[in-house]
Structure formats: structure tokens, C-alpha cells
Amino acid sequence: MGIPLRVLFIEDSAHDAKLHLHLLRQANYAVEYERVDRPDVLKQLLEKSWDLIISDYSMPHFSGTDALRLIRQLGLETPFIFVSGTMGEETAVDALRMGAQDYVMKANLNRLLIPAVQRELREAEEQRKRRRLEQQLHQLRRFEAVGRLAGGVAHDFNNVIAAIMGWAEIGCSEAPLDGLLQDRFLKIRRQAERAATLTRQLLAFGRQQLLQPRDTNLNELLQEEISLLKNILGDRHEIELNLAEGLLAIRADPGQIEKVIMNLCLNARDAMPNGGHLAITTENILIGVEQQRIHAYACPGRYVRLSVCDTGVGIDQDTLEQIFEPFFTTKEDGNGAGLGLATVYGIIQQHNGFIEVDSVKGSGTTIRVYLPAADGVQPVARQTPKVELQKGTETILVAEDDDDVRETTRQILENLGYKVFAARNGSEAFDLFLEVQSSVDLVFLDVIMPVLNGPEAAVRISAIKPHLAFIFATGYDTESHLRNLRSTKKTAILRKPFDARQLANKLREVLDYKENIRGT
């Protein structure tokens, strides 16, 4: 089977068009073509997609230059080659200035037509690749600007939400059991949790979400999610799983990848309101230098590819360029915040992966997610987190610049049985530590604070008491030194906003580890 090629011949001679067609087929092109010799018909045929236009220069009803001028006025960049027996050198130069790619004299047709076609098709493909990369880079810059804004807003909101959750926790614990007041505090807390979900989605888009990566098997995540997906999608949607054997592990945060799976499948469901077929495929992929030229975000190496293919309504080209932007949605008001695919985009980018989207209006959509394979191939088994609220009697030094967050954290810790010293920033925490250092068992530090931030304060405190335990509270992960802190066993990172249970469990996790080390 030959190379598919769609050719429009602008030619008044059927014999000459057949000769061109014969040469192309001899060169192993499987040609689909139309021939036109009138301007009114030409305009209709230009509504179709063509790989190549071959035009005579001089025709009885209109000239090749008129055809070329019309094509370029319509904004079409299809490769255009003149074939003529009368075209002089000066006329040919003028034609090239107008936007023709090449010209071939009929006397040299057998020898020069095919090389000219091959050259122009190759250059057209290179131009498409360059344009695709330029679009990707433009989109990347735009997304990065929006991501920085979203991340900054989300960080500020996290402090507000943390304070609301904290006061709601305290109010709930102090209110009469099962009374109206306690119920109202619980409703406040639930709404704060909803707000926290939105800020996490914004942080994910801005690639500022705090990740907890480990070697993960994507097939296992899909198999765990499939029963939930079947319930969500309903009986009208058929799910087909094609999971590759020997799938490489990915270094990823399983919770974040589950969000990617769920968001992609929910979008596919919404694209098939009357039911349809959803195919989910995994496979190992090797990305080489050639693919890197196509994908602005790709680095050569081994990847795991997740493909989600639906038979839905499809996406037009203009919409396709906007689907990953935050708050962009094609759904009716009230049926989506426009953060689902933005969240997917941010999570995959933060995992050093990239995304491809293919869609045809009315014929469905395929989204392919590429995630770098981990160095090892054996994923660590997933652990079930502890859920019980744990108390303690140790002494905690807290540093937090937000007054409400600091006060609610202090009260929650005291209600759990801890003794608490509180400071407004890292510098004040260090001065306070110098006074009470002998009794402090753990230092709880916000990461971003004025005067002296959390990691800087920790360095000063550790210089005096090297084996002291630390917990860092942060709404997002942009500081490079945070990644180094995560590798130390006596430190932990707690994601904002947190509730009393999360705070209590994290404290016991760090303090109990410290006690176990002492006992060995």
C-alpha cells in the first residue's frame, strides 16, 4: 500500500493531470484527487483538506496565479507547485514571491516532479512540527503565568481555610453532643473542606501541589478504580480495559494519579450523554529524540502511557486549545467548575509527564498521558493510613504568622494534651526556643513566614539541638529545600489546610519514630 496523498490538480487538460497522477503513483503514493479548471468550483473544493496542490500556469478560463492568490487569501498554507510549459524565469520568481513553493517545467516533468513533491511535502511537515512546538511553548508560558497566579491565590486561601477549619473543630468539640450548635460547626467544616478541594485543584494546575511520590503500578490503580468507575459511569457506558503485561512502575503520588484517572473518565462520560464506549489502555513507550521535537515537554526515555478513548461528541479545534485552562468549561452553568482537566494538566506536568489530545468533532476523543518510568520496576505496596485520633503529652513549639491559624493550632494541640509554645515567625520561634529548648520535643513550623521562614529557622534550631523533630506546614511545594527536608526521617511535611485528625496523626508519626530510634 502506498503513502496516502490528497492532491488537488488545477489543470484544464485531463491528459496532463493523468500524467501527473501516473508519476505520483509510480513513486508509491496512494493518491486521492480532484481536478478543477474553473474558479467557482475551486473555491468549493478548497473547503476540503489537501496535502498538495499542483497547478498549470496558463489556462483558458483563469490563470494559475489567480488560483494561488485565492488560496493564500483564504489563509491556506498547502504546498503549491506550478507545472508549466511556458513559464519564464522572471514569471516563476514572481510566483514564488506570491506563495508558490516550487515550479517544474513540463519538459523536465518526468525527472523533476517527484523530487519537487517530496521536498515540499517534507518541508510542509517540518513547518507543521515547528508550528506545533510554537503553540505548545506559547501554551506553556500562558499556563505557567496562570499557574503562578493560581498558586499564590490558593496559598492565601489555604491559610483562611485552615483557620475556618480550626475554629470549626474547636467549636464542634466544645458544643453539646448531637446538638444544633455542633451540627452547625460540622456544616462549616464540611464547606471548608470543599473550599480546600478547590484550592488543591488550583495548586495542582500551578504544579505547586505537595506530592508524596513512590514507585507505583498504574495497572493496580486502574483495577482499584474500575469498580468505582463502573458505578459512576452507569450501565449505558461500556468500559474496556487493556492493561499491558510487564508495565513499568512510575514514580508518582498514587492519590494524584487517581485524580487524573477519575477526571479523565468523568470527562469522557460527560462527552457521551447517551452512552458509549470507553477504552482505557496502558503500555510502555520509549520516547526518542524525534518525538521530543514534536512534544515541547518530552525528554527522551522510558514512559508509561495511559490512553483514555471515548466515542463521544468530540472537541473542535478552537475548544481543543483551551481545554486545560482553569475555569474553562463547555458544560452548562452549575455542571462543572472547569478545573477537572486543568487539575490533570498540572498533576502530569508536576510528575514530569506530558499529554496528547486527539479529537474530531462528532467522532470522539483520545487523551494520552505520558508518565516517566521509575528506575525500579517493583512498586511498593500501598499502606492504609491510620484514622484514629491520637493524643500526647510532649511539648511543641509552634511558629505560624497567621494569627487565626496559630491560635487554632495551639488550641487543638492543647486539647490533645500537648504543652504548646507559640511564635509569630521563625525569628521569634528561634528566640523562644533558646529560652525553653530543654523541654521542646518537636518544632511545628509554617514554611512561608516573614523575617525568618520555617526551613531557615529549622537550620538555626538544629544547630543547637541536632536530633530535634520537625513538622513543616505548607500549602504548596515550591521551595527546593523542602524536597531535601522530606528525605530526613525526623522531619515531616503536613499539607495545609489540615484538620485535627491529620495534625494528631502526623505528630504521633514523627514523635513515635523518634522514641523508637532512642529505644534501639
Side-chain angles (χ1 to χ4, degrees):
M1 187 173 178
I3 304 167
L5 185 66
R6 293 161 298 178
V7 183
L8 177 61
F9 293 110
I10 305 176
E11 174 64 72
D12 63 311
S13 170
H15 178 271
D16 286 353
K18 285 182 179 179
L19 177 59
H20 304 157
L21 184 62
H22 174 70
L23 292 173
L24 289 169
R25 285 173 173 167
Q26 271 191 329
N28 196 36
Y29 287 105
V31 183
E32 294 181 21
Y33 74 98
E34 295 271 3
R35 183 178 70 87
V36 59
D37 60 0
R38 292 178 16 230
D40 54 333
V41 179
L42 173 62
K43 198 162 187 179
Q44 295 175 15
L45 288 175
L46 289 176
E47 294 176 0
K48 298 182 180 180
S49 177
W50 302 102
D51 299 316
L52 178 69
I53 299 174
I54 297 177
S55 175
D56 194 0
Y57 177 71
S58 179
M59 291 172 284
H61 302 296
F62 75 128
S63 69
T65 52
D66 290 336
L68 175 59
R69 189 176 294 109
L70 173 63
I71 289 165
R72 296 308 182 227
Q73 285 175 350
L74 292 173
L76 301 175
E77 298 180 355
T78 311
F80 190 106
I81 298 176
F82 274 119
V83 174
S84 176
T86 60
M87 200 175 202
E89 185 175 332
E90 186 175 337
T91 306
V93 171
D94 288 340
L96 294 175
R97 286 174 179 165
M98 289 176 60
Q101 271 71 32
D102 210 339
Y103 69 95
V104 178
M105 302 305 293
K106 288 185 177 180
N108 300 320
L109 192 65
N110 291 346
R111 183 168 56 89
L112 297 181
L113 178 62
I114 297 306
V117 168
Q118 292 171 336
R119 180 172 58 252
E120 300 314 324
L121 291 176
R122 185 168 57 249
E123 289 184 2
E125 178 60 25
E126 289 295 324
Q127 187 175 5
R128 280 193 292 270
K129 289 180 180 179
R130 286 194 298 271
R131 190 179 298 109
R132 193 182 301 121
L133 280 173
E134 288 170 359
Q135 290 173 345
Q136 289 176 350
L137 289 172
H138 175 71
Q139 185 184 58
L140 177 61
R141 293 191 185 102
R142 186 173 75 248
F143 280 9
E144 284 181 343
V146 176
R148 285 193 295 271
L149 174 62
V153 170
H155 177 253
D156 290 338
F157 276 145
N158 268 336
N159 275 339
V160 175
I161 296 166
I164 294 171
M165 290 178 69
W167 288 122
E169 291 262 6
I170 293 167
C172 187
S173 65
E174 294 176 351
L177 288 176
D178 300 324
L180 181 62
L181 187 59
Q182 188 181 64
D183 180 64
R184 287 175 175 170
F185 279 122
L186 288 172
K187 288 179 178 177
I188 292 172
R189 187 181 183 280
R190 280 195 293 271
Q191 293 303 311
E193 287 172 347
R194 290 184 61 191
T197 299
L198 291 175
T199 60
R200 282 195 292 270
Q201 289 177 310
L202 286 172
L203 289 169
F205 172 77
R207 291 179 287 166
Q208 298 176 9
Q209 181 72 294
L210 188 63
L211 297 181
Q212 298 174 335
R214 60 173 177 265
D215 284 2
T216 303
N217 189 299
L218 183 58
N219 283 349
E220 290 182 1
L221 290 184
L222 285 165
Q223 288 167 338
E224 290 174 7
E225 292 291 307
I226 193 64
S227 59
L228 178 59
L229 283 172
K230 286 180 178 178
N231 291 334
I232 292 175
L233 297 183
D235 296 335
R236 293 188 300 172
H237 298 87
E238 178 189 358
I239 301 178
E240 175 188 348
L241 273 183
N242 303 302
L243 306 183
E245 294 184 5
L247 192 69
L248 297 172
I250 54 175
R251 187 69 179 172
D253 183 326
Q256 298 301 312
I257 301 303
E258 285 174 350
K259 289 180 184 177
V260 168
I261 295 168
M262 189 60 64
N263 276 317
L264 291 179
C265 292
L266 290 178
N267 272 278
R269 177 202 64 183
D270 294 342
M272 302 183 288
N274 299 317
H277 184 83
L278 177 64
I280 303 172
T281 305
T282 61
E283 53 194 320
N284 296 319
I285 294 292
L286 181 64
I287 296 294
V289 176
E290 181 63 27
Q291 288 92 339
Q292 187 182 18
R293 296 172 63 190
I294 300 173
H295 303 288
Y297 324 119
C299 294
R302 297 181 304 166
Y303 286 76
V304 170
R305 182 166 71 186
L306 166 67
S307 301
V308 177
C309 180
D310 66 61
T311 57
V313 296
I315 308 169
D316 61 62
Q317 190 59 41
D318 291 339
T319 304
L320 205 58
E321 295 177 359
Q322 299 176 273
I323 59 173
F324 293 117
E325 294 182 4
F327 305 114
F328 176 82
T329 180
T330 58
K331 300 172 185 176
E332 296 179 1
D333 290 345
N335 289 333
L339 285 172
L341 287 179
T343 301
V344 169
Y345 173 87
I347 291 171
I348 299 306
Q349 287 281 301
Q350 198 172 3
H351 281 82
N352 299 315
F354 61 98
I355 305 174
E356 290 179 339
V357 184
D358 289 327
S359 188
V360 177
K361 189 68 175 175
S363 300
T365 301
T366 298
I367 297 183
R368 288 179 287 271
V369 170
Y370 294 78
L371 290 163
D375 293 333
V377 296
Q378 295 298 326
V380 177
R382 302 181 70 186
Q383 298 178 350
T384 303
K386 296 180 179 179
V387 294
E388 65 272 14
L389 190 64
Q390 302 179 79
K391 297 185 177 183
T393 58
E394 291 89 346
T395 299
I396 313 297
L397 172 58
V398 174
E400 166 63 64
D401 62 308
D402 186 283
D403 293 341
D404 281 300
V405 177
R406 182 176 63 253
E407 181 61 18
T408 56
T409 302
R410 182 186 67 78
Q411 288 198 29
I412 289 171
L413 290 175
E414 288 179 345
N415 289 344
L416 291 171
Y418 296 100
K419 182 178 180 181
V420 182
F421 295 104
R424 291 172 295 182
N425 55 58
S427 178
E428 188 175 303
F430 178 70
D431 292 339
L432 185 56
F433 173 77
L434 292 177
E435 299 176 15
V436 298
Q437 58 179 288
S438 60
S439 62
V440 174
D441 298 293
L442 182 143
V443 181
F444 187 92
L445 298 165
D446 187 21
V447 172
I448 307 298
M449 292 185 290
V451 187
L452 195 68
N453 68 33
E456 290 169 344
V459 170
R460 295 191 185 184
I461 292 171
S462 293
I464 298 171
K465 199 169 182 178
H467 300 295
L468 190 61
F470 291 89
I471 293 178
F472 295 90
T474 181
Y476 58 99
D477 182 17
T478 57
E479 302 293 324
S480 58
H481 42 245
L482 265 185
R483 298 182 181 93
N484 297 327
L485 289 169
R486 274 203 296 263
S487 62
T488 306
K489 292 295 184 181
K490 66 177 181 177
T491 67
I493 298 172
L494 185 59
R495 186 183 324 206
K496 283 185 175 181
F498 50 83
D499 59 23
R501 189 182 306 280
Q502 292 166 329
L503 176 59
N505 289 345
K506 186 62 68 175
L507 278 170
R508 291 315 329 158
E509 176 186 318
V510 176
L511 289 168
D512 291 346
Y513 176 86
K514 182 180 175 184
E515 290 301 319
N516 291 336
I517 292 297
R518 282 180 178 175
T520 57

